[in-house]
Amino acid sequence: QVQLVESGGGLVQAGGSLRLSCATSGRTRSPYGMGWFRQAPGKEREFVATINWIGAGTYYADSVKGRFTISRDNAKNTLYLQMNSLKSEDTAVYYCAAAPRYGSGSLRRSDYDYWGQGTQVTVSS
């Protein structure tokens, strides 16, 4: 089992920045990919970014490419999402997720076995 706890969400003006963190605990010794997803009101949960086990490979949704950066510190068992140039359309609950079966990371929700409880990000225009 892997437990995930997000933090760092909040209210920010358009053009501002936030940094989300995701602390992991439990059986974290196996190599596993991680990702960030988000869900806006009335919409399905969508992929934001993913990172491989060693943090060398990343992939982003087109909507956040160039503005968001995913990273991880395995020594601290923590995943990050740096969000810059935020837009009102970035408003959503953000979830981190772990994919023990996919050390390279994944874009697919179904590849992730563990999820955090989510943290709210609200961008005011």
Side-chain angles (χ1 to χ4, degrees):
Q1 288 282 359
V2 176
Q3 292 79 44
L4 308 172
V5 179
E6 302 97 336
S7 61
L11 174 65
V12 63
Q13 288 188 334
S17 298
L18 279 176
R19 188 194 196 199
L20 304 183
S21 298
C22 174
T24 65
S25 61
R27 298 182 61 181
T28 58
R29 291 189 177 274
S30 299
Y32 57 97
M34 294 199 73
W36 288 98
F37 289 75
R38 67 186 182 186
Q39 188 168 16
K43 295 186 177 181
E44 291 191 357
R45 193 171 300 187
E46 65 175 5
F47 167 78
V48 174
T50 187
I51 190 167
N52 68 4
W53 166 238
I54 61 174
T58 59
Y59 190 82
Y60 299 90
D62 287 343
S63 59
V64 306
K65 199 173 296 182
R67 300 188 298 121
F68 290 11
T69 302
I70 188 172
S71 62
R72 65 191 296 171
D73 185 338
N74 289 339
K76 296 181 178 180
N77 292 326
T78 303
L79 175 73
Y80 302 99
L81 184 68
Q82 178 66 45
M83 305 185 295
N84 299 328
S85 302
L86 283 161
K87 306 175 181 179
S88 57
E89 51 263 45
D90 294 319
T91 295
V93 176
Y94 283 71
Y95 298 89
C96 67
R101 295 173 289 135
Y102 296 89
S104 58
S106 176
L107 284 68
R108 296 183 296 268
R109 285 175 53 187
S110 59
D111 290 343
Y112 290 83
D113 297 324
Y114 303 102
W115 293 82
Q117 82 289 349
T119 185
Q120 176 71 46
V121 172
T122 303
V123 184
S124 62
S125 56

